[in-house]
Amino acid sequence: MDDTERCARIACAVIGYGDVTEAIADVLSLPPALTARGTLAAGLLETFLRSADPAGDLLQMRLGDLLEAAESAPPEGARWRRTRACARALVYAQSAAVGELHDPAGALAELDRLESEVEDDAGMRMLFDSARLGLTYARAVVDGDDGAVARFPAEVRRHFGQGGDLGPEAETMRTLMSDSAELMAAVQRGEEVGDRLDRLLELSRALPPGHQLRGVLEGAGESLGLMNRIRAGAGEGAGDGERATDEELATLIELTGRPGLSTADRALAHTQVSGAALGLGEETDPDRVDLAVEHLRQAVEVTGGGDPKLVFHLIGLALGLLRRGELTNARRDLVEAGSVLQRAKELAQGPRHPHWAMINGMLTTVGQLLGDEPGFHQDGLAGLRAYVWKVLVQPDLADASVAVRSAAEDAAAIAKHCVTAGDLPGAVSALDAGRGLALFAATELRGLADRLTAAGEDDLARRWGEAVAAGQPEALPADLRREVLTALGDAADLLDPPGFGEIQRALSVVDADALVYLVPADVNGSGYALAVPAAGPPSFLPLPNLTGGLAETPGRAELCDLAWRAAMGPLIDSYLPHLPAPPPGRPHRLVLVPIGDLALVPWQAARHRDGTYAIERIALSQAVSARMLCLTAVRPPVPPDATGLIVGNPDPGESADDTLRFAGIEAYAIRESFYPGGRFLGRRPNGTDSPSGRGTRGQVRDWLTSDDLGAGATLHLACHGVVEPGAAHLVLDGGERLTAEELGLLMARAPGRAIEVVVLAACDSGKAIGGHDEAFSLGTAFLAGGARSVLCTLWKVPDASSSVMMYVFHHLLRRDALPVWAALRQAQLWMLDPRREPPDGMPRQLARFARSEQLADLDTWAAYVHWGR
């Protein structure tokens, strides 16, 4: 067939009298120099977009090649601009669907530009929104943005729930899109996906037999289902289920040669063979390990140098080589693994890469196994910077918590390498790099606008300042955060934990003797304490009884006994004698950073066998991390005065079953006795509302953000606190919620006055909500937002006895002018003293409890923890 005949066939297809698929092949076979080639290609594009079922035909069309041909000599006018925009959106969506979109961020920017050039209508919006959804997911995968991946299913449901004509199978398609998103997110989280996969394949069978999407899903389901079975079996322990059979391996190997696979899918098929052959890293058969390594090499070979997934496949190859090296003791495999990882590191370039932490952690492991590099752990330390980048770009607490779910575990592993290398300051840096990152991301906002202005980014500084001023998490989306950090050159000083000398200076400023990390034991070793003194070298103290399950001990008395044996006894008896004597009149003071569930242990109530508590021998405070301690230390102290905001027993409405009658008495008495120039909100002891206000969410927000220096520097909240999975809030008037995340952002808006002390006389106000390693609580949100000191509780506290102790605390703080930490300690010791007397001015309703033996119970005094200065 000559070119004239081809042009005639193409023209017939353009006007609806020919096969479009054949015509596309014809136009692409025409000589590029032929003038009519571009016009005919443009006509075919329009015909295809007008008549084709994209879900059924798009994946087998050479749409990108056709668009390229049309753009070589395009027609003029708005009609072509619309056709080109639609085609480009579909090409991007197609590339994203098969994993061959290498620059999703650039594609999104191009999509925005194209959409602005064409006339807006419902069909165009539906197309562009659908393409944007796919590109956003592709960018999240490339960026390693686990938060965005977690959000994706909800965004898909929202998008496809808005209507739009998806063809006769519209409802099935909508459900398929939503369920596919759920499946991808579950795979990303490493969950078992068998039920989800079965449901998706069942839905796909409702599509016509020739429907392309049905074939794609069934093909993917075959390999994914097999890998899911192998993964699930590996988690069951010993038995036939934890190892792929020879037949299953043969099936996966056959899939690697299936015709029509994209490059990305073929590489993925090779990695699936290796995963099955390795048995998720537990295979001992040398032949299977060799097979895995060979397929990992092929995955690397078929992946182009510009493909961002090449880094992923290089990591896989390094893992295979490491496994083979473990089995055979072959040094050459370890050397090659190191070389492969160095190549991956060069391609990754820096902390913004999603696999940066893994690459560097593996390099540390290789260095330790080779044993010829004394600084082998430095790569691992550098890799931990990736977690800070990942969390700083997240728009809210839920996404930040997802993004850093591995941070604490990886940081603890790198810290062990540092200890092995004799680098205790490095171990401190490692532990701190994995601590409190979700909290840090939610509140580390102040000063960035000034940095942007100094960097010449005036417009970005303005947009950032406006977003922060809104005081709402949704005003700081991931795109804006990423743009800001990129403009600041990754904001390197935000990514690094403080140095050893900086920590020591902070300890001196806050008048503490040492910062002590309490690290629970794992399956590979003992728990330990890592201590940074205010002067002198760091110390490592093995603590074999310090386990992560300590906080689950039934009964608080038993927990306190175990807490002494696990950590406080060895620290007090073995570590403190080596420190310089504290100043006259002050006991030794330690600032604890308890890792994981150890944050739920009341360390101040650790009990010696003679019945004395740790608090009777030393003073204890807690810190989220050394990073947060240093931030607190640089904030100048605020002179105490008689002003502030006191909120007592606001009406919780239907959100709580009980009122806090004594909290109202406590708060009103505290205001009358110690803060006469302050404002009282809530319900007075007689049950009536305060003339100053009922204690609404808006009133507390206004106080926190006020520039009026007369508003005071003390906040006391005696109300309900509620902790739920992934969230926490204070209950204010009418049941209104003031969340921990909102509090952090409000505080970070940096009002014209500083806040010295926040007292949360509220249940569970010190309990972490984003995983204990994140240390994000109602109390720490205030601390990270700028408060100098915060008091909060580890559990639900009794109303009456808590109110008595809070009055004594403020008496010691205001009348005796003690530092916040000392006032809390003395109030707790007062509760333990059987000869205690009520302080002057205590209301009768509280004073009658002052001599009660119940005040010495652990339920109240042991629940309160001091954070900050």
Side-chain angles (χ1 to χ4, degrees):
M1 182 186 299
D2 61 21
D3 291 342
T4 302
E5 290 176 305
R6 287 193 179 91
C7 288
R9 284 185 24 162
I10 295 166
C12 289
V14 168
I15 62 175
Y17 291 100
D19 185 280
V20 174
T21 303
E22 292 179 358
I24 289 175
D26 285 336
V27 80
L28 293 177
S29 67
L30 291 173
L34 187 65
T35 305
R37 185 173 185 262
T39 303
L40 290 170
L44 276 177
L45 273 176
E46 185 171 340
T47 300
F48 169 74
L49 294 172
R50 184 175 60 247
S51 61
D53 171 14
D57 300 325
L58 177 60
L59 291 175
Q60 56 189 349
M61 292 289 182
R62 296 176 63 186
L63 199 59
D65 294 337
L66 186 62
L67 178 58
E68 183 179 350
E71 288 177 325
S72 65
E76 300 289 338
R79 182 169 167 176
W80 161 245
R81 287 197 298 272
R82 178 185 174 86
T83 298
R84 177 178 180 274
C86 292
R88 179 58 65 190
L90 285 173
V91 167
Y92 282 148
Q94 179 186 28
S95 299
V98 298
E100 293 185 342
L101 186 67
H102 296 174
D103 183 18
L108 280 166
E110 172 71 1
L111 206 63
D112 289 340
R113 188 186 66 78
L114 289 171
E115 190 173 19
S116 69
E117 294 179 355
V118 297
E119 184 178 348
D120 182 35
D121 62 50
M124 288 291 292
R125 282 197 303 274
M126 184 68 178
L127 171 61
F128 274 83
D129 286 349
S130 298
R132 190 173 287 109
L133 198 64
L135 295 181
T136 300
Y137 178 80
R139 186 176 72 174
V141 172
V142 169
D143 291 346
D145 187 347
D146 294 342
V149 172
R151 290 195 306 275
F152 188 63
E155 292 180 4
V156 168
R157 287 193 296 270
R158 182 169 57 252
H159 173 68
F160 287 104
Q162 294 173 352
D165 185 9
L166 297 176
E169 308 89 12
E171 191 56 41
T172 299
M173 287 294 295
R174 287 190 179 95
T175 307
L176 276 171
M177 295 293 184
S178 176
D179 284 12
S180 296
E182 292 281 5
L183 178 66
M184 288 187 291
V187 170
Q188 188 85 352
R189 293 190 298 267
E191 296 177 359
E192 199 280 328
V193 296
D195 291 342
R196 286 189 175 95
L197 181 61
D198 290 344
R199 170 175 163 76
L200 194 63
L201 292 176
E202 183 179 349
L203 281 169
S204 72
R205 295 184 189 106
L207 297 173
H211 200 289
Q212 183 71 14
L213 184 58
R214 175 173 174 172
V216 169
L217 289 170
E218 289 176 347
E222 185 176 0
S223 59
L224 184 58
L226 178 54
M227 290 306 299
N228 182 67
R229 189 204 66 74
I230 296 169
R231 182 182 293 110
E236 295 169 1
D240 296 337
E242 59 180 49
R243 195 170 189 264
T245 65
D246 291 341
E247 291 77 13
E248 289 169 337
L249 267 179
T251 299
L252 287 174
I253 292 171
E254 182 182 350
L255 289 175
T256 65
R258 177 177 289 179
L261 284 181
S262 68
T263 299
D265 284 342
R266 197 172 305 282
L268 180 61
H270 283 298
T271 64
Q272 289 174 332
V273 173
S274 68
L278 286 174
L280 301 181
E282 299 176 358
E283 183 57 59
T284 57
D285 182 345
D287 291 337
R288 285 203 171 198
V289 176
D290 286 343
L291 176 68
V293 171
E294 178 56 34
H295 279 275
L296 288 165
R297 291 193 195 282
Q298 292 184 47
V300 170
E301 289 171 6
V302 302
T303 304
D307 191 329
K309 288 184 288 299
L310 178 58
V311 173
F312 169 77
H313 295 307
L314 287 168
I315 293 171
L317 176 56
L319 283 169
L321 290 166
L322 272 172
R323 181 56 180 161
R324 191 163 70 181
E326 289 174 349
L327 289 178
T328 63
N329 291 320
R331 183 179 175 85
R332 65 178 180 276
D333 282 331
L334 296 179
V335 171
E336 184 183 358
S339 176
V340 168
L341 288 168
Q342 286 294 347
R343 182 184 174 194
K345 186 173 181 177
E346 290 171 4
L347 291 172
Q349 296 184 332
R352 281 187 287 175
H353 195 279
H355 301 310
W356 183 253
M358 178 180 287
I359 293 168
N360 284 277
M362 290 176 64
L363 278 169
T364 289
T365 299
V366 170
Q368 184 177 21
L369 291 173
L370 287 172
D372 52 9
E373 277 290 339
F376 68 89
H377 61 293
Q378 294 298 328
D379 285 312
L381 283 171
L384 293 174
R385 299 177 83 235
Y387 285 115
V388 186
W389 164 265
K390 288 179 72 172
V391 76
L392 283 174
V393 300
Q394 297 305 323
D396 55 35
L397 172 61
D399 291 338
S401 298
V402 170
V404 296
R405 62 188 173 205
S406 302
E409 182 178 344
D410 285 358
I414 298 301
K416 277 193 170 183
H417 286 302
C418 293
V419 171
T420 300
D423 182 4
L424 294 188
V428 171
S429 293
L431 289 173
D432 217 65
R435 283 290 300 169
L437 296 181
L439 174 66
F440 181 61
T443 56
E444 187 48 43
L445 309 175
R446 65 177 85 242
L448 290 190
D450 292 338
R451 291 173 184 238
L452 289 166
T453 300
E457 300 282 353
D458 293 339
D459 179 66
L460 190 54
R462 176 188 57 77
R463 288 190 284 131
W464 180 258
E466 291 173 352
V468 172
Q472 297 291 344
E474 58 269 21
L476 294 164
D479 285 348
L480 179 58
R481 288 175 179 263
R482 184 179 286 105
E483 189 178 355
V484 165
L485 293 172
T486 301
L488 294 174
D490 293 349
D493 57 329
L494 292 178
L495 299 179
D496 291 328
F500 190 73
E502 188 179 354
I503 298 171
Q504 291 190 311
R505 289 190 293 274
L507 287 167
S508 296
V509 169
V510 302
D511 193 27
D513 298 304
L515 179 75
V516 180
Y517 294 85
L518 295 177
V519 185
D522 58 23
V523 294
N524 297 315
S526 166
Y528 63 90
L530 190 61
V532 180
S539 296
F540 176 83
L541 186 65
L543 299 173
N545 294 320
L546 188 63
T547 65
L550 183 66
E552 300 174 4
T553 303
R556 291 197 178 116
E558 292 80 2
L559 174 59
C560 293
D561 292 341
L562 288 175
W564 181 274
R565 296 197 295 272
M568 295 315 299
L571 280 171
I572 292 173
D573 295 335
S574 300
Y575 176 64
L576 289 184
H578 295 285
L579 293 180
R586 171 170 80 70
H588 274 301
R589 182 183 175 213
L590 300 180
V591 179
L592 300 181
V593 182
I595 304 295
D597 286 350
L598 297 180
L600 295 176
V601 176
W603 296 105
Q604 65 276 11
R607 186 167 57 185
H608 188 273
R609 60 178 177 272
D610 66 6
T612 59
Y613 293 100
I615 197 173
E616 297 179 77
R617 298 178 61 177
I618 62 172
L620 290 172
S621 296
Q622 288 196 18
V624 172
S625 62
R627 187 200 308 270
M628 199 62 67
L629 175 71
C630 292
L631 288 173
T632 301
V634 299
R635 297 165 183 155
V638 184
D641 60 24
T643 61
L645 179 66
I646 315 297
V647 180
N649 191 25
D651 184 358
E654 297 180 357
S655 64
D657 296 332
D658 59 331
T659 60
L660 301 174
R661 185 169 72 89
F662 284 98
I665 296 170
E666 155 208 330
Y668 190 77
I670 287 170
R671 187 265 181 185
E672 291 292 300
S673 298
F674 310 118
Y675 305 96
R679 185 180 180 193
F680 175 78
L681 302 175
R683 287 181 287 184
R684 296 181 290 188
N686 61 9
T688 61
D689 292 330
S690 168
S692 298
R694 295 168 55 92
T696 66
R697 173 176 172 271
Q699 288 168 335
V700 176
R701 280 178 55 96
D702 289 344
W703 186 87
L704 288 170
T705 56
S706 172
D707 291 331
D708 181 6
L709 296 178
T714 297
L715 174 63
H716 182 99
L717 291 165
C719 58
H720 284 288
V722 178
V723 177
E724 301 166 326
H729 63 270
L730 296 169
V731 181
L732 297 171
D733 181 66
E736 290 183 318
R737 298 183 173 192
L738 189 56
T739 69
E741 188 175 11
E742 184 181 1
L743 285 168
L745 286 175
L746 285 171
M747 296 285 289
R749 289 170 59 182
R753 66 181 218 289
I755 296 175
E756 175 66 14
V757 58
V758 175
V759 179
L760 296 179
C763 296
D764 296 323
S765 53
K767 186 179 291 184
I769 58 179
H772 300 303
D773 286 312
E774 287 313 311
F776 199 137
S777 68
L778 288 162
T780 57
F782 278 106
L783 186 73
R788 277 46 171 176
S789 287
V790 176
L791 266 58
C792 49
T793 61
L794 293 176
W795 53 70
K796 297 184 184 301
V797 290
D799 185 24
S801 55
S802 178
S803 297
V804 171
M805 193 177 92
M806 286 296 93
Y807 186 91
V808 174
F809 162 76
H810 282 281
H811 178 90
L812 293 163
L813 183 70
R814 295 286 295 129
R815 297 287 166 82
D816 294 355
L818 295 180
V820 176
W821 65 265
L824 175 61
R825 177 174 182 265
Q826 289 300 323
Q828 290 171 317
L829 291 175
W830 181 88
M831 296 280 281
L832 287 170
D833 186 355
R835 299 168 297 178
R836 74 184 84 85
E837 293 288 338
D840 294 340
M842 178 178 277
R844 289 193 305 274
Q845 298 101 312
L846 299 180
R848 64 190 178 92
F849 287 102
R851 298 181 182 87
S852 171
E853 294 181 358
Q854 294 180 357
L855 293 188
D857 290 347
L858 294 167
D859 291 347
T860 301
W861 72 266
Y864 279 87
V865 178
H866 170 261
W867 300 78
R869 295 182 69 95

